[in-house]
Amino acid sequence: MAGVIDLRSDTVTQPCQVMRTLMVEAQTGDDVYGEDPSVKQLESFAAELLNKQAAVFCPSGTQSNLMGLLSHCGRGDEFIVGSAAHTYLYEGGGAAVLGSIQPQPLNLQSDATMDLSELESAIKPKDVHYARTKLICLENTHGGVPLPDGYTQAVNAIAQRHKLGMHLDGARLFNAVVAGNTSAAALTADFDSVSICLSKGLGAPVGSLLVGSNEFIDEARHWRKMLGGGMRQAGIIAAAGLYALQNNINRLSDDHRRASELASALGQIDGVSIPLGQAHTNMLYVSVSQAMRQRLAEHEANYNILLPSGEQMRLVTHLNINDDDLKAIIELFQQAA
């Protein structure tokens, strides 16, 4: 895949040479015993970055989200979540299968929010006939769209009234941080737990973190072990994650700029429509006709470009796509028009 311009996701990024060197040279220990210095440094840095007490390093965002849900909820409990949210739609039903936790999905609006009145109405009364609502789960960003200013505070007010927990799937939290010119601590202040991914726009090869209070993370570590996520000399990958958090957040603005420029260029091409009207962060959704999709498939290999399948495509910019690549992408679509 060397040299391919891959627009399918920001999960396809490759670790840079500095990151690879740090991985080779990382100090390691047995993380299950809490003795890996690189893992401990990463967890401490992430907790401080989000202004939380503690963090636990996990192999994947799916696992860190599941650990969060299992730590908040017990058998027969319920969490409220968007119907298109990752924790509901794309994580294999783990909360239901492994935790006997019932999801209560609600429609997500175009700005990535659930309607506040609908959300509060979905909270179950204390009655033996109902599952016990315990948690509200949000996602930031969702489909590349950051949550609007003030929304998490409004949801938190509902959670406080009903004594519910708050969990954030922040797989691409730092895209929202950069887009809003704010801090991770500010965007996560309303949440009891937060999952962040290191292996998407931040460019690490693997890993996520679950962040929260000391007590909460102690419980989450138990679930990590039960889910098979106990790791040994994990400092080799933790070193990459620490570099990503320390060096690759601000550069996300380059991805956002390129996605915006791509939206402007493709929006002028006949046969291409942009349903959301723009790229809010590093994701651009485009719709093309079946005929144009066929022409794109015929030409993309000539440009060394890999596109997602389907008539509506999610084009994702990331650290391995530069300005010259952007020109090639635009030329491909112009050629296929």
Side-chain angles (χ1 to χ4, degrees):
M1 300 297 292
V4 173
I5 305 168
D6 194 338
L7 287 160
R8 294 175 299 168
S9 179
D10 47 11
T11 61
V12 302
T13 57
Q14 294 291 317
C16 67
Q17 188 56 53
V18 175
M19 187 180 284
R20 291 173 185 267
T21 300
L22 290 171
M23 293 170 70
V24 170
E25 297 176 350
Q27 290 184 303
T28 61
D30 193 319
D31 180 49
V32 174
Y33 288 132
E35 296 175 352
D36 190 301
S38 298
V39 171
K40 291 168 72 173
Q41 186 181 4
L42 170 63
E43 291 172 344
S44 177
F45 186 87
E48 184 176 352
L49 193 62
L50 272 63
N51 196 28
K52 306 293 185 187
Q53 292 178 338
V56 56
F57 187 39
C58 316
S60 73
T62 294
Q63 186 179 84
S64 60
N65 275 327
L66 181 55
M67 287 160 52
L69 296 177
L70 292 169
S71 299
H72 279 290
C73 303
R75 289 171 59 86
D77 289 342
E78 172 185 271
F79 70 102
I80 296 174
V81 63
S83 58
H86 202 279
T87 47
Y88 174 66
L89 197 57
Y90 297 110
E91 297 186 0
V97 173
L98 301 177
S100 297
I101 305 167
Q102 172 175 287
Q104 172 59 72
L106 302 179
N107 288 332
L108 278 177
Q109 302 176 113
S110 59
D111 63 352
T113 67
M114 294 177 279
D115 179 82
L116 292 174
S117 60
E118 185 178 351
L119 191 158
E120 189 156 19
S121 296
I123 299 170
K124 305 298 188 292
K126 292 184 178 180
D127 186 305
V128 295
H129 296 90
Y130 300 114
R132 295 168 294 191
T133 307
K134 283 292 184 71
L135 182 69
I136 300 171
C137 184
L138 303 182
E139 185 175 355
N140 197 13
T141 63
H142 172 78
V145 180
L147 291 174
D149 290 344
Y151 179 72
T152 65
Q153 293 92 325
V155 174
N156 183 259
I158 295 172
Q160 293 291 327
R161 283 199 296 273
H162 296 274
K163 297 181 172 58
L164 305 181
M166 291 268 290
H167 175 74
L168 177 67
D169 175 6
R172 294 181 174 89
L173 171 69
F174 297 101
N175 291 96
V177 168
V178 170
N181 192 27
T182 183
S183 69
L187 290 188
T188 59
D190 296 304
F191 296 90
D192 302 293
S193 59
V194 182
S195 170
I196 58 173
C197 282
L198 306 170
S199 59
K200 294 185 170 69
L202 297 185
V206 64
S208 292
L209 290 143
L210 181 65
V211 189
S213 68
N214 287 325
E215 182 180 6
F216 183 86
I217 295 303
D218 283 345
E219 176 69 10
R221 286 186 184 278
H222 172 80
W223 286 110
R224 185 183 72 166
K225 183 65 175 176
M226 190 180 298
L227 294 171
M231 297 185 286
R232 301 299 178 182
Q233 288 69 38
I236 292 172
I237 52 177
L242 182 61
Y243 178 87
L245 286 178
Q246 291 176 334
N247 296 276
N248 286 352
I249 293 176
N250 290 336
R251 63 143 309 280
L252 291 171
S253 61
D254 293 333
D255 302 340
H256 298 179
R257 172 183 60 81
R258 292 185 179 111
S260 180
E261 291 177 2
L262 187 60
S264 296
L266 298 191
Q268 301 176 36
I269 297 175
D270 290 340
V272 178
S273 63
I274 301 174
L276 297 182
Q278 62 177 312
H280 292 273
T281 53
N282 69 322
M283 295 183 181
L284 174 65
Y285 289 82
V286 301
S287 295
V288 299
S289 66
Q290 185 173 358
M292 186 174 185
R293 185 65 188 91
Q294 179 62 37
R295 292 193 294 271
L296 285 169
E298 292 170 357
H299 293 293
E300 61 184 275
N302 297 331
Y303 287 87
N304 214 22
I305 291 173
L306 190 56
L307 296 173
S309 60
E311 293 182 14
Q312 178 165 308
M313 297 180 287
R314 186 190 73 170
L315 308 181
V316 185
T317 54
H318 49 75
L319 61 83
N320 291 142
I321 293 179
N322 59 35
D323 289 337
D324 288 337
D325 297 332
L326 193 67
K327 293 177 183 177
I329 296 163
I330 295 168
E331 288 177 9
L332 167 63
F333 276 84
Q334 291 172 336
Q335 180 73 19

